[in-house]
Amino acid sequence: LVEVKLWAIDRQCFQTIMMRTGLIKHAEYMDFLKSVPSFQGLSEETLSKLADVMEETHYEDGEFIVRQGATGDTFFIISKGKVNVTQEDPANQETAHLRELGRGDWFGERALQGEDVRTANVVASDTVTCLVIDRDSFKHLISGLDDVSNKGYEDAELKA
């Protein structure tokens, strides 16, 4: 037998804590989204809806977040850390480094704008936190933004 101490809280207290935690996280997401230059043209209502649907995901150094050639149905915004974007040339099996992305940058939009397939690899270059948005939310809330539509981080012909 092992002696155990058990703490309990009632339902209302638990629900209050969970609601408060959710509100704090929502406020953090809102502040972060407002700090991203490309999203500053969005209304408060749209930003709030975005903050509601975002899921936080974590990646370790060297972990693939996106693999070239895989189908994709999510859009990523980096909230912490850095990633490397690379592209493999099927002809000679070589991998080219395209760029490094960090906090406030995003990727994954190409696969959501009709191409369906990821056109590059995105690999965590340290501990990375991304806020992830699914295809439907992306299309409904931000696919019309010029910055998102015109900036192809996964594209080989990147703008300087």
Side-chain angles (χ1 to χ4, degrees):
L1 289 176
V2 176
E3 192 173 315
V4 175
K5 285 189 180 182
L6 182 65
W7 292 72
I9 58 174
D10 62 44
R11 178 190 309 264
Q12 188 168 354
C13 183
F14 175 78
Q15 288 175 336
T16 301
I17 291 167
M18 294 307 291
M19 187 177 75
R20 189 171 296 144
T21 303
L23 290 172
I24 290 168
K25 194 54 94 174
H26 187 272
E28 286 174 7
Y29 289 169
M30 287 288 288
D31 287 346
F32 171 68
L33 289 170
K34 288 176 182 176
S35 77
V36 177
S38 298
F39 298 149
Q40 288 174 354
L42 293 173
S43 69
E44 190 87 7
E45 181 185 1
T46 300
L47 289 173
S48 183
K49 286 178 183 173
L50 265 179
D52 285 339
V53 298
M54 290 178 154
E55 298 225 359
E56 195 170 282
T57 57
H58 305 275
Y59 303 92
E60 296 303 317
D61 185 19
E63 189 174 350
F64 276 75
I65 301 170
V66 165
R67 283 192 188 269
Q68 183 175 338
T71 56
D73 59 1
T74 47
F75 174 76
F76 300 81
I77 306 168
I78 302 168
S79 65
K80 178 179 175 264
K82 293 186 182 306
V83 302
N84 286 312
V85 181
T86 65
Q87 193 167 52
E88 295 164 16
D89 183 346
N92 61 15
Q93 306 277 312
E94 289 188 13
T95 301
H97 181 270
L98 300 181
R99 77 183 310 150
E100 183 180 76
L101 303 175
R103 179 179 165 85
D105 290 326
W106 68 84
F107 55 92
E109 74 285 350
R110 306 284 290 192
L112 302 184
Q113 293 174 329
E115 294 181 25
D116 279 340
V117 177
R118 303 294 190 185
T119 58
N121 297 307
V122 180
V123 185
S125 63
D126 56 12
T127 302
V128 175
T129 301
C130 290
L131 301 177
V132 182
I133 302 165
D134 64 53
R135 181 187 296 269
D136 289 341
S137 299
F138 174 85
K139 284 189 170 179
H140 182 67
L141 297 169
I142 56 176
S143 66
L145 273 181
D146 285 343
D147 277 4
V148 174
S149 299
N150 296 330
K151 194 181 291 181
Y153 284 138
E154 292 180 11
D155 199 333
E157 295 167 16
L158 295 165
K159 295 184 167 122

